[in-house]
Amino acid sequence: MPEELANCSVCCCTTTNKILMVVFMISLVLAILFGNLLTLAVVFGTKHFHTPQGYLKASLAVADLAVGIFVVPVSVYAEISLMIYSSMPEWTARNSKSTPFHPCSFIGPVFAGCTLVSITTIFLLTIERSIAVLKPLHKESVITKKRTSILIVFSWMGSFFLAVSPMVFSNEIALEYNPCSRMCNYALGSADFPSQAWNILLLFPAFDFTLLGGTVVINIISLTTIRQHSKRRKHLAETERQSATKPTFSDIKAAKTIGTLTLAFTASFTPIAVFVVGNVLGNEWCTFSFFAFWILTTNSCWNVIIYGVRDQKFRSRVYQLLISAHLNTAPKKTEYENTVNEGKLNEEIVKQT
């Protein structure tokens, strides 16, 4: 079994490739932790982001953070063990059905659940922005912090229920450390191939593509409305009454940001959906599975990059936090120097906003 684990994926055949893979995994962990902790610091530390949209972005960051804390480190541990001892940890040779406390029994549902939370959260963000664009007068009454918080709780509960449903509804589905993807994946508990049990896994791409499809449609409607509104602004001088019934510039920009998030997640999720369907049909696709799973995992550090590029207020707040952290860790300066530095920082932030 260790030899199979060492040689299955093309990316892990040589020592150089193994080292590069471990470096990639460790870098990914650091990027996920840094980016999403920064997002949470901005959302919870800035009153401007204490909004329904801010709550949803925080939920998305927590889901991504869980991937960096729990999912990727297990793969790092297994691969480093292979490099040092020339063999994988003992638990990787068995699945969760044959081992009482198998790490994948926890890691597998966490990864699946967090992926589903990301999809549902992006869907909720799209709904929130579409209301702001299509029905701006009803935005404050329809989209409230309380309703958003309730929806976030339900999205987490529903996503993790769906994540454990293959084990709940079938005794033949287990979890194992897959030699191809180098991650904890769903697997058959026996050597047979019972198609009915394996078909349960089709719940994931069916659910995901239903939500993603709805998200894409809503984004198209919102962006079409934004385009029509932009054309009207070129020909008409809007009065105060007219502008009150139109989406604000910040709503329009936020809607475009959510559209970018949707595009990025769809691009990262599509390979894994193709792999799951192919796997159910009996195709192993070993090398493809590695790239599919890790492309999806890298999505956990994309969101903060998208916010930084698309949202000027988010970018300014990040800049302020990083500069403040640098000033706090720098050698002690005189009170006058600190006052001058703070003044320059505030001037830069005002210019950016």
Side-chain angles (χ1 to χ4, degrees):
M1 186 69 175
E3 291 182 3
E4 292 177 6
L5 285 166
N7 299 320
C8 182
S9 295
V10 170
C11 60
C12 314
C13 287
T14 66
T15 302
T16 302
N17 286 348
K18 291 175 187 176
I19 293 173
L20 290 174
M21 181 180 64
V22 171
V23 170
F24 162 72
M25 290 179 178
I26 293 174
S27 301
L28 184 59
V29 170
L30 296 176
I32 291 172
L33 295 181
F34 176 76
N36 289 290
L37 286 173
L38 195 59
T39 298
L40 291 174
V42 170
V43 171
F44 292 122
T46 310
K47 190 174 180 180
H48 170 80
F49 292 100
H50 294 175
T51 61
Q53 183 186 162
Y55 288 2
L56 289 168
K57 287 181 177 179
S59 175
L60 192 58
V62 171
D64 290 335
L65 198 59
V67 173
I69 294 174
F70 299 112
V71 178
V72 184
V74 170
S75 297
V76 172
Y77 169 71
E79 299 306 322
I80 290 179
S81 297
L82 175 61
M83 290 175 59
I84 295 175
Y85 304 110
S86 298
S87 64
M88 300 290 278
E90 189 177 348
W91 55 267
T92 61
R94 297 188 294 270
N95 61 42
S96 59
K97 292 291 183 183
S98 56
T99 304
F101 302 104
H102 199 289
C104 289
S105 297
F106 173 73
I107 299 301
V110 165
F111 185 45
C114 289
T115 301
L116 296 170
V117 167
S118 296
I119 294 173
T120 54
T121 304
I122 290 174
F123 177 74
L124 292 174
L125 278 166
T126 303
I127 294 293
E128 187 264 344
R129 285 298 89 192
S130 68
I131 293 173
V133 170
L134 300 175
K135 300 288 182 181
L137 291 178
H138 301 88
K139 180 178 68 172
E140 300 297 333
S141 60
V142 175
I143 308 169
T144 64
K145 294 179 182 179
K146 182 178 179 180
R147 288 176 181 171
T148 303
S149 300
I150 292 172
L151 287 173
I152 288 172
V153 171
F154 276 115
S155 74
W156 278 81
M157 292 173 60
S159 295
F160 275 86
F161 174 76
L162 189 58
V164 300
S165 61
M167 284 79 70
V168 172
F169 296 112
S170 175
N171 293 325
E172 297 170 333
I173 300 293
L175 287 150
E176 68 175 11
Y177 188 80
N178 190 280
C180 293
S181 67
R182 324 302 279 197
M183 299 183 84
C184 290
N185 295 156
Y186 295 93
L188 293 173
S190 63
D192 299 325
F193 195 85
S195 59
Q196 289 185 342
W198 206 227
N199 286 341
I200 293 174
L201 295 183
L202 291 175
L203 281 171
F204 295 131
F207 175 82
D208 296 340
F209 274 120
T210 298
L211 277 188
L212 283 175
T215 302
V216 169
V217 170
I218 295 169
N219 271 308
I220 291 173
I221 294 172
S222 298
L223 293 175
T224 301
T225 302
I226 290 170
R227 184 175 298 176
Q228 292 172 350
H229 174 59
S230 298
K231 289 180 179 179
R232 284 196 292 269
R233 290 181 64 181
K234 293 178 180 178
H235 297 86
L236 299 173
E238 295 180 330
T239 63
E240 290 185 5
R241 180 175 176 276
Q242 286 175 321
S243 61
T245 62
K246 302 298 182 185
T248 64
F249 177 77
S250 61
D251 287 334
I252 292 173
K253 190 143 190 177
K256 291 180 179 180
T257 300
I258 303 308
T260 305
L261 282 178
T262 303
L263 183 62
F265 192 89
T266 302
S268 65
F269 178 77
T270 300
I272 203 70
V274 172
F275 168 74
V276 170
V277 174
N279 215 220
V280 170
L281 296 175
N283 299 302
E284 188 176 7
W285 291 345
C286 188
T287 300
F288 177 72
S289 72
F290 175 85
F291 289 104
F293 275 97
W294 286 99
I295 287 172
L296 178 61
T297 307
T298 57
N299 182 260
S300 295
C301 61
W302 290 4
N303 295 334
V304 68
I305 298 173
I306 293 172
Y307 301 151
V309 172
R310 299 285 311 174
D311 190 335
Q312 188 175 4
K313 290 180 179 178
F314 180 90
R315 186 168 61 249
S316 298
R317 181 56 179 159
V318 167
Y319 178 78
Q320 184 181 19
L321 287 174
L322 294 178
I323 295 298
S324 298
H326 174 71
L327 292 176
N328 290 334
T329 57
K332 294 286 185 180
K333 297 183 178 181
T334 65
E335 185 177 346
Y336 173 75
E337 288 175 318
N338 287 330
T339 303
V340 171
N341 287 331
E342 288 178 6
K344 290 180 179 179
L345 173 62
N346 290 330
E347 288 178 6
E348 288 294 327
I349 293 170
V350 168
K351 288 178 182 179
Q352 291 185 30
T353 55

